[in-house]
Amino acid sequence: MPATVLRRLLAQLGPDTDTADLTARYERLHSARAVVLEVQHERGAALLAEPLKVTANGVATIDTSANVTAFERTIAQLADVPAPDDPAAVDRDLLSTVELCLHRRR
């Protein structure tokens, strides 16, 4: 996996994410976007497996439903952000040269 792809994956998924796991997923899926989506879906599923709201009457309430909304928003935003290995992102960074010629005026 290219270093730019790995840096982008760690930036999106957090620096504590296992790089060996990311590399294995990238080799299997061949796309940084697919890796991020797979990891985010797994994290969202793990979050949904736990109770979203726990209340101890008169003591405390813990509500993690906002985290589910944040995961959904993050996954939706992935469609708008080009991945470092997307063809559109690679083509966007290319430079081209054009030769300019001087034409005489009449």
Side-chain angles (χ1 to χ4, degrees), residues 6-18:
L6 181 58
R7 281 194 302 270
R8 177 71 67 90
L9 289 173
L10 291 173
Q12 289 181 332
L13 299 170
D16 295 335
T17 307
D18 182 19

Side-chain angles (χ1 to χ4, degrees), residues 20-36:
D21 179 51
L22 292 178
T23 302
R25 289 175 193 256
Y26 187 79
E27 289 175 4
R28 180 173 46 87
L29 298 170
H30 306 288
S31 167
R33 183 182 311 279
V35 171
V36 170

Side-chain angles (χ1 to χ4, degrees), residues 48-68:
L48 287 173
E50 299 295 322
L52 294 179
K53 189 172 186 178
V54 177
T55 302
N57 289 335
V59 179
T61 299
I62 299 173
D63 187 0
T64 59
S65 59
N67 292 345
V68 174

